[in-house]
Amino acid sequence: MDELGLPPRLFETGFEPFGRKRVNSYFNLRWLDLIKQALEDEHLEMLTTSQFGRVLQMGGHTFSVMFMHYLLSRQLVTEKELELWWLFAGKPIRYAIQDFALVTGLNCGDSGGLGGDANENGIGRRKGASKGKASTAIWDELFRGEEKPTVSWIMERLIKGKRYKDPLIRLRLSLLVLVDGILCPTCGNTKIRPEVVSMLGNVEDFLKYPWGRESFLLTVRSAKVKPPINYVHETMAIQGFSHAMVLVTVSACPSIIVKAGGGDPLVDSSLASSEIVRRVVEKRLAVNPVTAKSVDELGQERLTPMFEGYILSLKGYFNTEVGSIRTDVQAATSSIRDLENLVTTEFESMRQELK
């Protein structure tokens, strides 16, 4: 722990990787506006009022690959598997499932009756997953003989002159792009999961499924396991929807995107965190890494706690650390006491022998 009493850092202050290093993503935010163009008005309204509504507003955002690297190279090393912390403006920022849910608007609840594999590892991500019988009819309807469709394959048919005439098919394909292409991509050419296709038999249930939970788990685990050496390389990549990490940081410190001259309502300190998030998402968000670095180095910004449990979460870490130290001290004290008793006993025995 450093002089501020915080957990240790991934890199010591002043020794973070420098240069034009990047954390690339496997999603393309531009697809969001293309999806909206491919949908009928009634289907677009359906998605806008669903859990995907806030994500659909991000088509005008620019994912900042350099700012993402800047944040993650300033991580705090913490034990909780499903939390990330990093320092910005001299203060800790948390990235947990509550924060992810707030900035994305996605359903991050339990699986709603589906198996643990679907809930914790992602639908169809277990070894040996294959196209099931339940999905055969809808699979053939959507992909027409294509055995291994990818997100790019779908986008080509939605937009580039091969548009499906059936509005329902376009809706279903758009949902696959949202889930496997935007929220849960695992590589640069992510294949569509048959189990996700099978769920499209009931669009209403599909829209209620906790895709936010699956996306968060994929993203946080992908980032958490990266060793420091990865950040020294010119590029690295994270699975899932890492843009949410940018949104959490900007929402906690809006000064990152507020232009000089004042007048931006984001600087209003009375705004609730939910209102800040709404205004951030509605912007054509683009983070200038040079400006963000200046805000960080000044260290004078007031960060907005995203949740009431925000500080309590870090306090829990401190309590654990202090508890461990207290336990160690108690164990040492006990050992010293035992040693004193042993020495006293030995001396008494020697006295008896010398008599």
Side-chain angles (χ1 to χ4, degrees):
M1 298 181 40
D2 64 14
E3 68 278 4
L4 296 178
L6 293 172
R9 309 180 188 198
L10 192 65
F11 294 96
E12 292 294 330
T13 304
F15 292 90
E16 301 92 346
F18 60 90
R20 298 179 62 83
K21 291 179 170 53
R22 305 178 299 279
V23 173
N24 293 327
S25 67
Y26 295 129
F27 57 82
N28 187 338
L29 294 175
R30 298 292 179 267
W31 286 341
L32 294 168
D33 283 344
L34 295 177
I35 285 173
K36 290 192 285 187
Q37 295 172 20
L39 294 173
E40 299 295 315
D41 290 344
E42 61 176 307
H43 289 155
L44 179 57
E45 175 67 18
M46 179 191 299
L47 293 192
T48 300
T49 56
S50 75
Q51 63 171 307
F52 298 115
R54 176 162 287 170
V55 174
L56 285 171
Q57 293 179 287
M58 300 177 192
H61 290 194
T62 299
F63 176 64
S64 179
V65 294
M66 292 178 64
F67 183 56
M68 187 75 259
H69 186 280
Y70 186 88
L71 293 177
L72 291 180
S73 63
R74 284 154 179 78
Q75 278 184 76
L76 300 176
V77 181
T78 56
E79 293 183 358
K80 288 188 177 180
E81 178 191 4
L82 302 181
E83 278 190 7
L84 293 172
W85 289 82
W86 50 79
L87 285 179
F88 193 84
K91 303 171 184 68
I93 292 180
R94 184 191 69 177
Y95 177 77
I97 195 165
Q98 300 98 318
D99 311 293
F100 179 90
L102 180 62
V103 298
T104 64
L106 294 167
N107 179 2
C108 294
D110 293 331
S111 62
L114 290 175
D117 176 72
N119 191 24
E120 298 302 322
N121 298 326
I123 296 174
R125 296 202 193 281
R126 66 186 184 280
K127 291 184 178 180
S130 60
K131 183 169 62 173
K133 291 182 179 179
S135 68
T136 301
I138 191 168
W139 181 279
D140 293 341
E141 181 182 37
L142 295 178
F143 304 123
R144 302 178 181 179
E146 177 64 35
E147 287 297 320
K148 297 180 179 180
T150 62
V151 177
S152 298
W153 185 94
I154 292 178
M155 291 304 301
E156 181 181 353
R157 279 145 186 81
L158 277 179
I159 304 299
K160 298 180 180 179
K162 299 180 180 179
R163 183 168 172 169
Y164 283 74
K165 293 182 178 180
D166 188 332
L168 181 57
I169 290 181
R170 295 203 303 274
L171 171 64
R172 285 170 167 164
L173 291 174
S174 297
L175 288 171
L176 291 175
V177 173
L178 277 171
V179 170
D180 274 346
I182 303 293
L183 300 177
C184 304
T186 56
C187 65
N189 198 29
T190 301
K191 292 181 174 59
I192 301 301
R193 289 172 287 168
E195 289 81 359
V196 178
V197 174
S198 184
M199 292 178 65
L200 286 169
N202 189 320
V203 172
E204 184 176 345
D205 286 347
F206 189 98
L207 294 177
K208 294 178 181 177
Y209 184 80
W211 297 114
R213 181 178 180 82
E214 180 170 331
S215 177
F216 170 79
L217 292 177
L218 176 64
T219 308
V220 74
R221 285 170 174 161
S222 178
K224 192 83 172 181
V225 299
K226 302 294 184 187
I229 188 63
N230 283 50
Y231 295 92
V232 178
H233 300 154
E234 290 301 311
T235 62
M236 56 179 286
I238 291 178
Q239 297 177 333
F241 191 57
S242 52
H243 185 55
M245 299 182 193
V246 174
L247 294 174
V248 167
T249 306
V250 172
S251 297
C253 185
S255 297
I256 295 170
I257 59 170
V258 171
K259 295 181 179 180
D264 194 315
L266 276 174
V267 300
D268 184 352
S269 60
S270 67
L271 288 178
S273 57
S274 58
E275 180 62 16
I276 292 174
V277 169
R278 184 186 69 79
R279 296 188 183 200
V280 167
V281 171
E282 289 178 353
K283 284 179 171 287
R284 294 189 67 84
L285 181 67
V287 176
N288 183 319
V290 176
T291 302
K293 183 179 179 181
S294 298
V295 173
D296 178 35
E297 291 178 343
L298 284 173
Q300 298 175 351
E301 299 302 321
R302 180 187 65 84
L303 299 192
T304 304
M306 303 294 286
F307 283 89
E308 292 178 0
Y310 184 95
I311 300 301
L312 293 178
S313 180
L314 193 57
K315 180 182 177 184
Y317 177 87
F318 295 152
N319 287 341
T320 300
E321 289 292 306
V322 172
S324 298
I325 294 173
R326 186 180 294 117
T327 299
D328 292 341
V329 170
Q330 290 173 345
T333 301
S334 178
S335 297
I336 292 171
R337 188 180 301 112
D338 291 342
L339 181 60
E340 288 176 341
N341 291 336
L342 176 62
V343 170
T344 301
T345 301
E346 288 297 320
F347 272 112
E348 183 61 32
S349 298
M350 290 173 64
R351 289 194 191 95
Q352 294 296 327
E353 291 177 1
L354 292 172
K355 286 182 178 179

